[in-house]
Amino acid sequence: MVTVTVFPETLQKNWSLSPVFSAAFCACANGWFVPGGPDCVLQLKVERSMPEGPSLVILKELARPFEGRTIAAAHGNSKAVPFDELPGQPILSLRTWGKHFLIELPLYTIRIHFLMFGSYRIDERKENSPERLGLAFEEGGELNFYTCAVKLLEGDLDAAYEWQADVMADAWKPAAALKKLRAKPDMLVCDALLDQEIFSGVGNIIKNEVLFRLKIHPASTVGALPAAKLRELVKHARQYSFEFLEWKKAFVLKQHWLAHTKRICARCNIALHKAHLGKTKRRTFWCERCQKRYGPVL
């Protein structure tokens, strides 16, 4: 097998795939690879970051063919999984809630959280790295997960999850998000966007880009935002997530970043500020000139 590696800076350029490459996308430890038939793999290495909701939606789409298949063998080093119970169990559904990937079985649901460095392989295995969970199927194929947190969930998933909080879900309810935000007036907006009970699936990239797009300083407090700005925050958290999804599928996500990891403000042409803000202490990028601070100065 031939592997062609394209490094991050290459992603800044315009390029297209030869027709010999398949349109089926799979994730690898450092980014993406595109299966191009039995003899060639195009591998794209990108910056490591915690997977956000749109990335989990892509995984769900890729893994959809495994729904209905029966587990033939299971292995891994997760202490949470009773591996001997899994063979013979069919996959009832594959679902996502924010940053959680959910494998629903008759006995229970396997919840996978990729944390900061998690990854997966479909129909292949990662070299020199033990699987946290590996599943092989009677009908063929395998799913393998690495460096992630695995947990078993008992009972009905609809009772376990508030689907209306997932920004990528059809059940998303912006009114519910607004109500939760108004109940936390002292919270910084940079923390609010990362609050998975309000915006399940929103991660640090989406946080930085939405705040820059709306010209809101990340150290603003939720209660100080005008009502119109608060509604915009809720609207664009979901809207940007779907844009993220389409850009990532097209391998152009990084080209659309205006604030995240950037040094210069795209609007003001001055240096952006960078700090680990809020209770979450995640990397935050903002412009002091065009992003207005609402609320007291810290």
Side-chain angles (χ1 to χ4, degrees), residues 35-48:
D39 300 319
C40 189
V41 166
L42 173 65
Q43 180 170 304
L44 305 180
K45 291 190 175 182
V46 298
E47 178 188 73
R48 284 185 182 273

Side-chain angles (χ1 to χ4, degrees), residues 16-24 34-42:
S16 60
L17 298 179
S18 164
V20 302
F21 289 105
S22 165
V34 183
D39 300 319
C40 189
V41 166
L42 173 65

Side-chain angles (χ1 to χ4, degrees), residues 268-286:
C268 304
N269 198 34
I270 62 174
L272 289 175
H273 287 252
K274 172 187 171 183
H276 293 79
L277 295 184
K279 293 182 179 180
T280 52
K281 299 298 181 185
R282 298 299 306 279
R283 280 195 311 167
T284 307
F285 302 83
W286 75 93

Side-chain angles (χ1 to χ4, degrees), residues 87-225:
Q89 296 297 313
I91 291 186
L92 302 180
S93 72
L94 295 172
R95 305 172 73 177
T96 62
W97 182 84
K99 301 175 183 181
H100 295 179
F101 183 64
L102 305 168
I103 304 173
E104 187 178 11
L105 305 174
L107 293 177
Y108 34 66
T109 296
I110 301 174
R111 189 200 78 180
I112 296 173
H113 192 305
F114 288 95
L115 305 174
M116 188 64 73
F117 299 108
S119 61
Y120 60 91
R121 288 284 204 276
I122 297 178
D123 293 337
E124 75 156 21
R125 298 187 184 184
K126 186 177 177 181
E127 294 183 5
N128 304 317
S129 182
E131 288 79 23
R132 186 79 77 226
L133 171 65
L135 301 174
F137 297 90
E138 293 179 0
E139 299 84 355
E142 58 183 277
L143 289 172
N144 296 301
F145 302 92
Y146 303 86
T147 323
C148 56
V150 182
K151 181 179 179 180
L152 300 186
L153 302 179
E154 305 282 353
D156 183 12
L157 281 179
D158 289 334
Y161 283 100
E162 187 181 4
W163 301 104
Q164 66 183 24
D166 185 345
V167 294
M168 303 296 294
D170 292 339
W172 162 255
K173 290 187 178 179
L178 279 169
K179 182 178 180 180
K180 292 174 185 176
L181 285 170
R182 289 172 179 144
K184 298 182 178 182
D186 297 327
M187 179 181 279
L188 299 186
V189 290
C190 61
D191 286 333
L193 279 169
L194 295 179
D195 188 328
Q196 298 303 291
E197 293 184 1
I198 304 174
F199 298 107
S200 176
V202 169
N204 208 43
I205 295 171
I206 297 173
K207 175 202 79 178
N208 284 320
E209 292 299 311
V210 167
L211 292 177
F212 184 80
R213 176 180 288 188
L214 297 181
K215 299 182 179 180
I216 299 173
H217 194 290
S220 301
T221 56
V222 169
L225 289 179

